[in-house]
Amino acid sequence: MIRTIWVGVIVGFLWAIAPSLTHEWVYEDYATMAQVLPLWMPRGLSAWTWQVVNTPLASHLFNLTLHVLCTFLLVRILPIVIGSSLVAQIAGMIWLTLPLHTQALGYASARADLLMAVFVLAGVWVALTRTGGLLALVACVVCSVWAKEFGAVLLVLIPLTLAAYPSQWTHAQRWHIAYGILLAIFLGVLAYQGDIQTIGRTATIGTMPMADWAALQATAAMRLVSMMAFSIIGPLTVDFDYDAVPGLVRLVSLGLLVTCSALAWHLRHLRRAVSYGLAFFVLAVLPRLFVQTPKSYLNESQFYVPAIGPIIVVASLLSLYERHRQTDHHARVQ
Amino acid sequence: MPPGVWIVLSLWLCSQVWQTHQAIQVWASDLTLWQHAAVASPGKPRALLNYGVALVKVGRYADAREMFTRAEKSATLRENLPAWDRTEGQQIAVSNLATLTQLETDLRRR
């Protein structure tokens, strides 16, 4: 039955995104394509792919392939996290067709986010299964940053994954990873302090009070959650201008992040997978809070990696329901 | 899983597929993209300005002028916009209006 549903979902999904294959470049596509970066820099990999994949059709197909690859990796990761293969596949179907990913598929410049997501998911998978060992883990971190600078979030997601699901790695290996990550952060700060200064000079950070700025970013996080929630019951166009929302909404948004963090901590023993999903979401959103300027207006694709967190939470809850039903059934049979 | 869950799941997935199909068409061109943005965030100068520029590109100068004027008003009047948004919005709206006037004058001369 699950195979039949998969076929239906894939056919429906291809029908849904088919119009994008005829679309031309939009918004900042020309600028992204023209951007020439040294290969060794963050985004170097993404910039290099623009030299090879540089027509609208090829770009949309490339984004589609990356999204499918991410879905595949998610379906491989979720059974380990939640313990149910069936629910993992259901979550994979939800992920594949999630309207939140429309920009990632329809906007060619979102390629860097998708490329980064592939390596972030691969890194989490390696951390969970130890496939390829330390070398694979390092390769995933390097490639995710190479795809986009925000890929550095993997340096936080790996310790989170190891803390939540430590059984695959020995005690000594976990220490090696911790040292490696500290070294990577140190080298990263040294190498890119020039970039950090550049970011600091942009008008946004200089002219906006920090609390206000943080509240705006938290509002962006709430937008992600509300869009995911609305995608169940309403059209995607239920949207709001998150740069100009009233102060109360911003306060609620900050509250949301604090609540997610507190819940993740509280549930860490009781509901490990739910806690992991919440922590994944908060940690993946945080770099946006510190670096991203609110000037990025259309930025759903930047929520691609943070959105993995809520999907893990949804899958965990579904898996809990499934387990509860099975226990109930066994009790009745006995 | 009970049949009810499968039914809900199928409806959910159908809804997602339909919304993706609708939303992907927003990304067809600059015009559709910024029209959507201007409708979703009618008080956002950046969305209005970019929609105005997209309208200029397709030769709809009167509509473009309306968008630039709305963007300027919005940047001036909306106090809950961030300072950078108001400054940027106002400056670019004034500049775009002047360029549009010049463009229309040149076209009339030809």
Side-chain angles (χ1 to χ4, degrees):
Chain A
M1 184 176 178
I2 197 83
R3 271 193 193 169
T4 317
I5 298 178
W6 260 119
V7 171
V9 166
I10 290 168
V11 170
F13 171 68
L14 290 176
W15 168 78
I17 57 109
S20 73
L21 301 180
T22 57
H23 293 169
E24 288 298 309
W25 302 124
V26 286
Y27 194 17
E28 290 176 333
D29 280 344
Y30 279 116
T32 312
M33 195 165 47
Q35 195 178 33
V36 179
L37 287 174
L39 200 57
W40 53 269
M41 275 187 74
R43 285 191 198 233
L45 180 64
S46 303
W48 177 77
T49 63
W50 280 97
Q51 309 290 320
V52 186
V53 185
N54 53 12
T55 65
L57 175 64
S59 293
H60 289 123
L61 283 173
F62 193 61
N63 283 16
L64 173 63
T65 310
L66 292 174
H67 179 53
V68 171
L69 195 57
C70 284
T71 309
F72 173 76
L73 283 167
L74 197 64
V75 173
R76 295 294 298 267
I77 286 168
L78 281 175
I80 307 165
V81 174
I82 59 171
S84 165
S85 174
L86 176 71
V87 174
Q89 297 205 42
I90 293 173
M93 291 174 196
I94 295 170
W95 179 261
L96 183 73
T97 55
L98 199 67
L100 186 74
H101 302 326
T102 305
Q103 187 191 6
L105 291 160
Y107 182 37
S109 293
R111 184 187 299 181
D113 285 292
L114 285 165
L115 209 53
M116 175 188 85
V118 168
F119 293 114
V120 166
L121 282 166
V124 170
W125 185 62
V126 171
L128 283 168
T129 61
R130 225 182 70 178
T131 311
L134 277 172
L135 201 64
L137 215 50
V138 171
C140 288
V141 172
V142 169
C143 288
S144 64
V145 177
W146 201 19
K148 193 168 180 176
E149 64 284 354
F150 284 106
V153 76
L154 193 52
L155 289 173
V156 188
L157 293 177
I158 288 172
L160 173 75
T161 309
L162 291 180
Y165 301 90
S167 59
Q168 293 287 337
W169 301 80
T170 64
H171 189 68
Q173 281 173 326
R174 288 204 295 275
W175 274 110
H176 288 149
I177 293 169
Y179 287 137
I181 284 169
L182 281 176
L183 185 68
I185 292 172
F186 177 69
L187 291 175
V189 170
L190 273 186
Y192 294 106
Q193 56 179 335
D195 274 8
I196 290 164
Q197 281 164 8
T198 313
I199 292 165
R201 273 201 299 274
T202 55
T204 315
I205 298 170
T207 54
M208 190 182 287
M210 196 63 191
D212 202 20
W213 184 61
L216 278 175
Q217 295 307 316
T219 313
M222 192 176 88
R223 182 165 173 251
L224 162 67
V225 174
S226 70
M227 283 178 81
M228 289 186 85
F230 273 123
S231 76
I232 306 168
I233 51 165
L236 190 71
T237 45
V238 176
D239 204 348
F240 56 88
D241 180 354
Y242 66 97
D243 280 354
V245 291
L248 187 65
V249 178
R250 294 181 192 179
L251 214 62
V252 170
S253 310
L254 274 178
L256 172 95
L257 281 186
V258 173
T259 310
C260 279
S261 313
L263 260 178
W265 180 255
H266 181 70
L267 295 172
R268 68 193 189 282
H269 298 305
L270 197 66
R271 297 274 178 262
R272 186 172 58 160
V274 176
S275 164
Y276 177 65
L278 288 170
F280 194 110
F281 165 65
V282 172
L283 291 174
V285 150
L286 279 181
R288 302 282 169 202
L289 232 149
F290 294 118
V291 185
Q292 184 69 28
T293 68
K295 278 192 172 188
S296 291
Y297 175 56
L298 296 152
N299 58 1
E300 289 89 8
S301 69
Q302 295 175 0
F303 290 138
Y304 196 89
V305 170
I308 295 166
I311 277 290
I312 294 173
V313 175
V314 169
S316 315
L317 295 175
L318 260 175
S319 139
L320 279 173
Y321 170 73
E322 190 198 17
R323 224 171 295 158
H324 179 71
R325 263 189 59 83
Q326 278 172 355
T327 319
D328 232 28
H329 179 72
H330 287 310
R332 253 185 254 150
V333 169
Q334 280 171 359
Chain B
M1 289 271 185
V5 173
W6 289 113
I7 293 169
V8 172
L9 177 71
S10 306
L11 288 174
W12 183 354
L13 291 172
C14 286
S15 150
Q16 290 202 160
V17 165
W18 176 252
Q19 286 174 66
T20 303
H21 182 67
Q22 293 294 306
I24 202 98
Q25 296 177 40
V26 166
W27 292 89
S29 66
D30 277 335
L31 195 65
T32 53
L33 175 67
W34 293 110
Q35 184 182 27
H36 166 80
V39 170
S41 302
K44 176 92 175 164
R46 201 179 197 203
L48 297 170
L49 287 169
N50 286 2
Y51 184 34
V53 172
L55 286 166
V56 169
K57 282 181 189 168
V58 294
R60 289 166 57 185
Y61 302 129
D63 293 336
R65 182 174 292 280
E66 192 196 326
M67 287 304 136
F68 294 147
T69 313
R70 268 176 61 187
E72 192 191 1
K73 261 189 203 159
S74 184
T76 317
L77 298 175
R78 290 191 75 189
E79 285 176 2
N80 58 342
L81 282 173
W84 65 263
D85 210 354
R86 299 179 69 179
T87 314
E88 184 192 82
Q90 202 168 14
Q91 285 172 354
I92 297 177
V94 169
S95 155
N96 281 359
L97 278 168
T99 312
L100 184 61
T101 307
Q102 184 65 47
L103 178 72
E104 283 177 321
T105 314
D106 288 351
L107 286 173
R108 248 179 264 131
R109 271 187 208 151
R110 282 184 202 171

